[in-house]
């Protein structure tokens, strides 16, 4: 017991010495732009790594948590449990949340840099990539980002115009977001009503005529971007069954042994679903009234229409060039086929945006110009998460990004590369008040949170999200006065 206690004491002092080695004796203030996973994991690492450091998290919306709140599918509540961890971070006395502040508009990047020892850009990928084909601007051609924001209650997407009075929907993309959208379109309404999907979305989906969802990918089964958990969930979707062409999968048996384990498990599930499904699965699918289809080696080249009404999607057949297991390239064969559909959702990737004129930005990649997290040519400015490396990976990948960025800033503090004794949020809050900007604290968010949960209880839901920013701000003002 004595040895164990001595070990713990030694470990405690060693950890404290590490903090002292990383930090200046002077106070350091770090401002973080964005309040999603990348922001919170960066803040968590900074607060753990230095006892003298303070962190302020700025968010454009009045509410925190970014894509955890507005991107995670409503029927995946377990993924949102990470909010509990984030809440512990911001409840630290050395951390604060400043919501309803648009960096680049309400406050400039130059003003933040002047107020903070370091500024971290962690605002994600707020735009989407385009198909760049004829008909893309027609009604009922909708980006995945906007559709997900619509059913998840993102205020900017609540006026989205969509027509679900169609039997066939085409989704361009083979990633997890594409599967999320397909699942939301096909899930029985009585199941969705128990989630935090918005009441507006429930009302629209209740009159949906969608019977078939087509997921279109430019490459083959070995290159799909979705994960095994999401695909398995689709195969077990009540009242729906998969439609996969066995010819797309028969050759996969030749490659299974050489694949990395995660890819092998996914490929085996794809193969078995298409070629030799289990008897229990066949029984489950027997009473299906809806179907979902995986289409491979297809790329959209034109949206077919009559007037403003979508009639279909013209697809070009592709072939793969290069080793099939080593990221082969999809090459057009110029042979086309037409897929009948009345709605098209594009899930081909997000991209970051330039939020401030002074921000070095790589427009081709849609990311802040950086070298390993340090923004090029701007000392004291960092970036992390999707705005740093592009929209790849899941929350676990973003956690790694945040931790690495936090360690990088701590190292730069240790090496005296950063200026300390900056004023932090006080000077920024003063400027915002002078400009008439109403800020939202984390305590204010708790009032919004409580109101949403209370409203959800009456409907048998975890919460009913507020979808209007004015309503959020009015609630905060009313509760405060």
């Amino acid at each position: 017991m004595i040895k164990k206690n001595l070990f713990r004491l030694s470990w405690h002092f060693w950890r404290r010495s590490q903090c002292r080695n990383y930090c200046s004796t002077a106070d350091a203030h770090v401002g973080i732009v964005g309040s999603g996973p990348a922001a919170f994991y960066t803040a968590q690492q900074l607060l753990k790594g230095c006892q003298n450091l303070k962190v302020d998290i700025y968010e454009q919306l009045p509410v925190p948590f970014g894509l955890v709140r507005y991107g995670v599918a409503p029927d995946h509540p377990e993924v949102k449990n990470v909010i509990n961890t984030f809440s512990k971070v911001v409840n630290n006395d050395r951390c604060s949340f400043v919501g309803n502040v648009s960096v680049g508009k309400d406050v400039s990047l130059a003003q933040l840099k002047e107020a903070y020892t370091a500024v971290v850009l962690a605002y994600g990928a707020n735009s989407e990539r385009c198909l760049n084909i004829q008909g893309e601007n027609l009604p009922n051609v909708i980006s995945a980002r906007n559709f997900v924001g619509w059913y998840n209650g993102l205020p900017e997407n609540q006026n989205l115009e969509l027509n679900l009075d169609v039997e066939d929907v085409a989704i361009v993309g083979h990633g997890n977001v594409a599967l999320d959208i397909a699942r939301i379109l096909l899930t029985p309404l009585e199941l969705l009503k128990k989630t935090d999907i918005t009441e507006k979305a429930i009302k629209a989906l209740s009159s949906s005529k969608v019977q078939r969802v087509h997921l279109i990918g430019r490459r083959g089964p070995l290159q799909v971007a979705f994960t095994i958990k999401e695909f398995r969930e689709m195969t077990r979707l009540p009242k729906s069954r998969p439609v996969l062409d066995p010819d797309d999968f028969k050759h996969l048996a030749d490659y299974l042994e050489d694949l990395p384990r995660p890819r092998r498990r996914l490929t085996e599930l794809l193969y078995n679903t298409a070629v030799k499904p289990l008897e229990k699965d066949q029984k489950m699918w027997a009473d299906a009234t809806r179907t979902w289809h995986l289409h491979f080696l297809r790329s959209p080249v034109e949206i077919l229409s009559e007037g403003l009404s979508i009639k279909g999607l013209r697809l070009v057949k592709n072939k793969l060039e290069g080793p099939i297991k080593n990221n082969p390239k999809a090459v057009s064969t110029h042979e086309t086929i037409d897929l009948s559909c009345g709605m098209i959702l594009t899930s081909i990737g997000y991209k970051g945006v330039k939020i401030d004129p002074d921000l070095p930005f790589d427009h081709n990649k849609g990311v802040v110009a950086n070298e390993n997290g340090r923004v090029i040519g701007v000392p004291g400015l960092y970036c992390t998460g999707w705005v740093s490396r592009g929209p790849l990976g899941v929350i676990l990948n973003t956690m790694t990004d945040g931790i690495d960025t936090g360690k990088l800033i701590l190292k730069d503090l240790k090496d005296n590369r950063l200026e300390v004794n900056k004023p932090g949020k006080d000077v920024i809050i003063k400027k915002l008040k002078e400009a008439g900007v109403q800020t939202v604290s984390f305590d204010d968010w708790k009032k919004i949170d409580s109101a949403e949960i209370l409203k959800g209880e009456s409907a048998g839901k975890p919460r009913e999200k507020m979808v209007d920013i004015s309503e959020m701000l009015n609630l905060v003002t009313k509760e405060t006065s």
Side-chain angles (χ1 to χ4, degrees):
M1 179 64 69
I2 293 175
K3 288 184 177 180
K4 184 181 289 187
N5 287 337
L6 284 173
F7 175 81
R8 288 175 177 172
L9 192 61
S10 299
W11 173 257
H12 171 73
F13 282 112
W14 181 84
R15 288 290 297 164
R16 289 192 65 180
S17 71
Q18 294 305 299
C19 291
R20 285 197 295 271
N21 285 338
Y22 266 131
C23 298
S24 164
T25 54
D27 289 339
H29 287 75
V30 177
I32 300 179
V33 181
S35 68
F40 275 102
Y41 284 121
T42 302
Q44 184 182 52
Q45 183 65 32
L46 289 169
L47 294 168
K48 283 183 177 179
C50 183
Q51 294 179 347
N52 299 323
L53 188 145
K54 296 179 181 178
V55 176
D56 301 320
I57 299 173
Y58 291 87
E59 167 59 50
Q60 182 177 358
L61 292 166
V63 294
F65 309 131
L67 281 181
V68 177
R69 175 177 168 96
Y70 291 120
V72 173
D75 57 345
H76 285 175
E78 71 285 352
V79 181
K80 300 181 185 184
N81 289 337
V82 72
I83 286 175
N84 297 326
T85 300
F86 297 163
S87 295
K88 290 178 182 178
V89 172
V90 77
N91 280 322
N92 187 308
D93 291 340
R94 294 181 288 122
C95 187
S96 64
F97 171 77
V98 187
N100 198 45
V101 176
S102 180
V103 174
K105 177 183 176 184
D106 299 326
V107 61
S108 70
L109 204 52
Q111 289 173 322
L112 287 181
K113 282 202 50 5
E114 191 171 335
Y116 286 96
T117 300
V119 175
V120 183
L121 303 175
Y123 58 87
N126 297 324
S127 185
E128 58 281 323
R129 300 190 182 279
C130 299
L131 294 173
N132 295 317
I133 62 174
Q134 182 178 329
E136 189 169 11
N137 295 322
L138 286 168
N140 240 27
V141 181
I142 301 167
S143 75
R145 178 182 177 274
N146 291 343
F147 190 72
V148 170
W150 171 74
Y151 64 66
N152 270 333
L154 185 60
E156 68 184 66
N157 296 134
Q158 293 314 293
N159 293 324
L160 184 69
E161 294 184 5
L162 68 161
N163 175 18
L164 292 171
D165 190 20
V166 299
E167 292 190 355
D168 288 86
V169 174
I171 301 176
V172 182
H174 273 177
N176 281 342
V177 175
L179 288 192
D180 281 348
I181 292 171
R183 198 175 62 255
I184 294 299
L185 288 170
L186 297 173
T187 295
L189 211 59
E190 61 269 20
L191 298 180
L192 286 180
K193 286 180 177 180
K194 299 175 183 178
T195 73
D196 67 356
I197 191 171
T198 66
E199 199 58 39
K200 185 175 184 177
I202 286 292
K203 185 177 180 180
L205 290 166
S206 66
S207 59
S208 169
K209 300 288 179 58
V210 175
Q211 296 297 311
R212 294 169 293 276
V213 175
H214 304 266
L215 296 118
I216 300 158
R218 63 188 175 88
R219 296 192 291 175
L222 284 177
Q223 291 80 41
V224 294
F226 51 73
T227 52
I228 189 169
K229 176 182 179 295
E230 279 69 23
F231 180 77
R232 181 180 288 114
E233 191 174 8
M234 285 294 294
T235 65
R236 297 172 179 173
L237 195 61
K239 302 298 182 181
S240 294
R241 66 179 175 86
V243 178
L244 282 65
D245 185 348
D247 288 341
D248 288 331
F249 300 90
K250 287 179 178 178
H251 69 288
L252 297 184
D254 299 333
Y255 299 97
L256 288 176
E257 290 187 4
D258 297 328
L259 294 174
R261 187 171 182 273
R263 175 62 67 174
R264 183 176 70 250
R265 290 177 61 236
L266 171 59
T267 305
E268 286 174 342
L269 182 58
L270 282 162
Y271 177 86
N272 290 334
T273 302
V275 179
K276 49 178 184 179
L278 297 174
E279 184 178 347
K280 65 175 183 177
D281 290 334
Q282 295 183 66
K283 288 181 179 179
M284 178 178 62
W285 298 333
D287 64 347
T289 57
R290 293 175 168 181
T291 58
W292 55 276
H293 308 242
L294 287 181
H295 302 274
F296 297 97
L297 296 172
R298 304 285 186 268
S299 293
V301 291
E302 182 183 354
I303 294 171
L304 308 174
S305 63
E306 289 182 5
L308 296 178
S309 297
I310 296 172
K311 296 302 178 183
L313 185 61
R314 180 158 293 162
L315 304 167
V316 65
K317 292 184 178 180
N318 298 327
K319 62 180 180 180
L320 296 180
E321 287 189 354
I324 195 166
K325 293 181 294 183
N326 296 325
N327 200 29
K329 183 180 180 181
V331 178
S332 166
T333 65
H334 303 294
E335 181 183 351
T336 62
I337 57 173
D338 293 344
L339 176 69
S340 177
C341 61
M343 183 181 195
I344 298 170
L345 293 152
T346 60
S347 184
I348 55 175
Y350 298 168
K351 62 180 180 179
V353 296
K354 183 176 181 176
I355 61 170
D356 190 283
D358 296 331
L359 179 62
F361 199 81
D362 186 331
H363 291 280
N364 290 329
K365 295 181 180 179
V367 298
V368 173
N370 73 97
E371 291 180 353
N372 300 320
R374 293 189 182 96
V375 176
I376 294 174
V378 190
L381 186 60
Y382 303 80
C383 58
T384 188
W386 283 7
V387 79
S388 170
R389 59 176 172 82
L392 301 171
V394 293
I395 289 178
L396 180 62
N397 305 96
T398 305
M399 177 177 70
T400 303
D401 285 348
I403 291 172
D404 289 346
T405 303
K407 288 180 178 178
L408 179 64
I409 294 170
L410 292 171
K411 183 179 185 303
D412 285 352
L413 276 170
K414 176 186 173 183
D415 295 342
N416 295 318
R417 296 180 62 169
L418 299 172
E419 185 180 347
V420 293
N421 288 328
K422 294 289 192 79
K425 74 171 181 177
D426 290 344
V427 65
I428 300 299
I429 294 293
K430 182 180 178 182
K431 291 179 184 293
L432 291 168
K433 285 184 177 180
E434 291 172 351
V437 177
Q438 179 183 349
T439 59
V440 176
S441 68
F442 199 72
D443 283 340
D444 291 332
W445 148 247
K446 290 177 181 178
K447 298 168 188 174
I448 297 171
D449 184 38
S450 296
E452 290 184 344
I453 292 173
L454 184 62
K455 190 174 181 180
E457 284 177 355
S458 62
K461 304 171 62 175
R463 71 174 62 238
E464 184 62 49
K465 292 178 185 172
M466 291 185 182
V467 298
D468 183 85
I469 291 177
S470 297
E471 182 185 3
M472 297 177 191
L473 297 179
N474 287 339
L475 172 68
V476 169
T477 304
K478 180 180 178 182
E479 291 283 335
T480 304
S481 60

